[in-house]
Amino acid sequence: MSVYDYKATTIRGEEQSLKQYEGKVLLIVNTASKCGFTPQYTELQKLYEQYKGQGLEILGFPSNQFGEQEPGTNEEVESFCEINYGVKFPLFAKTDVRGETAHPLFQYLTEQAPFAGFDTDTPSGQRMNSFLSEKLPHIMEGNGIKWNFSKFLVDRTGRVVKRYESTVNPEDIAGDIEQQL
């Protein structure tokens, strides 16, 4: 199996096979418009602009599963991303990314790249780990997505290479992306 075996609905309501991205390096990200990590859209767009010509595609999957931080319609999400962050990379319809209702793609991603913890050597990693451990301990169980802006790097063959938690800034994974290109 690979990510190419999955289909997803675009933000405009069209079913799309991920097979169309075969041969590309992918960064698959669950996103939200009203999250403390939402400014990562800026860095994601920069990565997209910098590496698209070399074969990178970034796929954004808005989700409302974490603190109801993506309450709008798909149309509102698309407009928000374009107006506020100039997002040009592909966005998909609002998607459940964790739990029993998680999209099969995200079930696959989290099986292939299990949760390895937050980097508690960083202030943001410490805060996120403490917040979830204290306020939402059930989220810390298992390998499911922990919060908005979790990222999965996928190589040109559709194999999941690495998982990055919400607290990892997109610009900090540029070196890993370059290795895959």
Side-chain angles (χ1 to χ4, degrees), residues 1-8 16-20 22 103-105 108 157-158:
M1 294 225 30
S2 77
V3 298
Y4 306 136
D5 295 315
Y6 297 94
K7 293 179 181 176
Q16 182 178 85
S17 171
L18 295 190
K19 191 161 183 66
Q20 87 170 52
E22 195 166 10
H103 188 285
L105 171 64
Y108 174 76
T157 67

Side-chain angles (χ1 to χ4, degrees), residues 110-141:
T110 56
E111 287 169 7
Q112 297 301 304
F115 178 63
F118 291 99
D119 182 358
T120 55
D121 290 337
T122 66
S124 62
Q126 287 174 359
R127 282 192 302 275
M128 197 68 186
N129 189 65
S130 293
F131 169 73
L132 292 176
S133 296
E134 293 170 18
K135 306 287 187 193
L136 302 165
H138 66 283
I139 286 182
M140 292 296 284
E141 296 172 10

